[in-house]
Amino acid sequence: MYNYKNNFLLEGKTKKLYKTDNINEIIIHYKDIITSFDGDKTQSLNQKGIINNQISAIIFHLLNSCGIKTHFIRIINNREQLCHKLDLFTLEFVIRNIVFGSMSKRLGIKEGIYIQNPIFEIFYKNDILKDPFINHHHAVFLKIISYEELNIINKISLEINKIIKKFFFDKNIILVDLKLEFGKNHKKEIVLADEISPDTCRIWDKTTKQKLDKDCFRKGYSNEKIINTYMKVLNKIDK
Ligand code: 5GP
């Protein structure tokens, strides 16, 4: 029998990747690690990998069913999922529905203001530079991506935001912002990658406005409180 554990590919801050016997598919393993501030603060958080694997699978399954091309194929076990192998752009794309976090600091605008037309932002994924905010021209100048690909990603990102915003809203959750990553598959198609979970978006309880995401970690809440919050999200959407 094929044992993927002998086929380790690489390890990131919160995930491990394994090869499979299909060159176009990989296994993604979700670790119990939580990081923030571009990796400046890192700690282990028991059960987080299991919860995020499930949350992300539910959202990617939803996106697949809405016709969005994603890397997600299926869940394999409580920590692992089978995904299409992609060549990732070294970029992060953030879509904002409410002003918060770096946008508020950068522009000196109060947090919490509703944005009528969701804003699409680009960040250069680079740990040494701490993922700086860039524009389309920088990304093309750096030879990471073409203008045409950026236009496609901008359009898909807004569509994804619309789908997830509605999905969460129906579960009594507000989607404040979310971070997306994309890559290209072996057919050179643009495909959504990475994960969508409380680690990668800001979500608030619609009624209480309680934060249900990694901001709990950024604010220094206890491990128990953070994991209970992530579990609360899974329970709300897993219905
Ligand atoms: P901000 O730019 O306000 O710090 O973050 C905007 C959104 O993108 C938030 O939901 C935040 O969690 C997410 N985000 C930004 N950078 C990263 C990153 O490097 N890793 C992860 N997991 N999420 C990020």
Side-chain angles (χ1 to χ4, degrees), residues 38 92 94 96 100-103 106 121 123 131 177-179 194 198-202 214 218:
D38 306 321
E92 292 180 344
V94 170
R96 300 185 189 269
F100 217 82
S102 71
M103 180 182 170
R106 194 169 47 245
E121 296 180 344
F123 292 82
D131 298 352
D177 55 38
L178 84 157
K179 187 260 306 177
D194 198 44
D199 271 10
T200 64
C201 60
R202 285 197 176 91
K214 201 156 82 168
R218 296 184 183 104

Side-chain angles (χ1 to χ4, degrees), residues 28-43:
I28 301 185
H29 173 104
Y30 282 67
K31 301 196 287 185
D32 281 346
I33 296 288
I34 188 161
T35 69
S36 79
F37 307 117
D38 306 321
D40 285 0
K41 191 179 162 196
T42 297
Q43 77 185 43

Side-chain angles (χ1 to χ4, degrees), residues 164-188:
I164 302 177
K165 196 160 97 173
K166 160 123 190 27
F167 172 75
F168 276 140
F169 197 79
D170 292 344
K171 315 280 180 193
N172 208 44
I173 295 172
I174 296 169
L175 178 64
V176 175
D177 55 38
L178 84 157
K179 187 260 306 177
L180 302 173
E181 294 188 27
F182 290 86
K184 286 199 274 192
N185 64 14
H186 66 287
K187 294 186 219 156
K188 303 289 173 208

